[in-house]
Amino acid sequence: MLEASQPREAVAITVRALRHHYRTPAGPLVVLDGLDLDVPAGGYVAVSGQSGAGKSTLLSILGGLERPKAGDVIVGGVNVAGLKGDELAAYRRSTVGFVFQHFGLLDTLSARENVELACALARVPRQRRRARAGDLLAAVGLQERTAHRPTQLSGGERQRVAIARAMANRPSVLLADEPTGNLDEDSTERVAALLESIHRDHACTLVVVTHNRRLAARASVRLALRDGKLVAA
Ligand SMILES: Nc1ncnc2c1ncn2[C@@H]1O[C@H](COP(=O)(O)OP(=O)(O)OP(=O)(O)O)[C@@H](O)[C@H]1O
Ligand SMILES: [Mg+2]
């Protein structure tokens, strides 16, 4: 098994005829309706679209958090849509970094402990976790805030902890869901620059859901999710 501390290679993402619906009392709600996507290894794609268009659903499927009803999701040559059990857990643990729309930090843990926990899940050896969490937090400019709990951090700082945590397993694919959604202009600029430097320095393939023009402007491809499919933005 590849150790979490070794650099990985970026991987390509190919999605074909992806379909997903949710069951609702009013019948099936079709969210993704034959969606295709091609991201080359090391590519940077920004996805926009109206609220409810299915952007978070798409990221959840790419990240192996949700299983699509039909279609292929090939990440680094592996069809994620067909993974089950241990293989799916291994994919989530070792290939993907996820920055959630609402941070998803644990309020009872400090910034450092939040990142250390992700290091543990990524199977970084115990004696290296603390140092690695410190390095990751320093990389996002939070070396002075490692002991703060999420409630003792600003929104932009929380988002940077979330990004540090997503990088704990040195992911080949980084998925970020509106990472600047609740941030002011300065913090937005900082998070955008951070994602760009991660993309450049870590050989990550990056898919970012965002409505922010400045963040989208840094992507190499800009797409919009409309009527269950991706179109040029
Ligand atoms: N578990 C669920 N059960 C039923 N419907 C759901 C479920 N999750 C999401 N939906 C519906 O699916 C649609 C797509 O949701 P999704 O969260 O992917 O949208 P989004 O594009 O990320 O929106 P936003 O920009 O508001 O975050 C929405 O209309 C939502 O109400
Ligand atoms: Mg969403």
Side-chain angles (χ1 to χ4, degrees):
M1 193 184 74
L2 194 61
E3 232 201 277
S5 55
Q6 285 174 336
R8 295 169 197 281
E9 282 185 17
V11 295
I13 301 173
T14 307
V15 176
R16 289 290 175 269
L18 183 62
R19 290 178 186 281
H20 197 63
H21 63 258
Y22 293 108
R23 284 180 208 294
T24 71
L29 173 69
V30 176
V31 178
L32 305 178
D33 191 12
L35 178 147
D36 296 326
L37 170 66
D38 289 281
V39 190
Y44 181 172
V45 174
V47 177
S48 61
Q50 286 187 342
S51 179
K55 306 177 298 296
S56 295
T57 302
L58 174 62
L59 279 202
S60 297
I61 291 172
L62 292 178
L65 301 174
E66 187 129 36
R67 184 187 303 283
K69 303 295 182 199
D72 295 321
V73 179
I74 307 202
V75 181
V78 174
N79 194 348
V80 179
L83 293 181
K84 292 199 179 90
D86 288 350
E87 284 178 336
L88 186 60
Y91 169 76
R92 290 198 290 244
R93 186 174 63 235
S94 53
T95 305
V96 185
F98 216 113
V99 181
F100 293 95
Q101 193 164 4
H102 302 290
F103 309 132
L105 299 172
L106 295 176
D107 280 342
T108 52
L109 301 182
S110 69
R112 182 194 287 276
E113 288 162 345
N114 264 284
V115 180
E116 271 185 49
L117 178 62
C119 289
L121 296 174
R123 299 190 172 167
V124 174
R126 183 182 295 274
Q127 64 276 17
R128 291 223 298 274
R129 281 177 212 158
R130 203 178 154 77
R132 177 140 172 74
D135 289 348
L136 286 163
L137 287 167
V140 300
L142 289 178
Q143 57 280 4
E144 309 290 326
R145 296 285 185 278
T146 59
H148 286 226
R149 286 197 291 277
T151 51
Q152 300 165 331
L153 294 168
S154 73
E157 288 169 345
R158 269 181 240 182
Q159 192 56 288
R160 284 186 278 147
V161 175
I163 292 170
R165 183 187 55 182
M167 296 303 294
N169 59 350
R170 292 187 198 272
S172 310
V173 174
L174 183 63
L175 306 171
D177 198 350
E178 308 226 23
T180 60
N182 302 308
L183 306 184
D184 64 21
E185 213 170 299
D186 281 354
S187 298
T188 293
E189 189 51 42
R190 189 154 190 169
V191 166
L194 177 61
L195 288 174
E196 191 168 86
S197 71
I198 286 171
H199 176 242
R200 194 180 51 235
D201 301 340
H202 294 264
C204 257
T205 305
L206 198 50
V207 181
V208 180
V209 168
T210 186
H211 291 286
N212 188 278
R213 283 169 197 275
R214 291 166 79 176
L215 189 54
R218 293 171 187 254
S220 40
V221 179
R222 282 169 287 283
L223 301 171
L225 188 42
R226 200 171 299 149
D227 300 329
K229 297 184 180 67
L230 286 168
V231 296

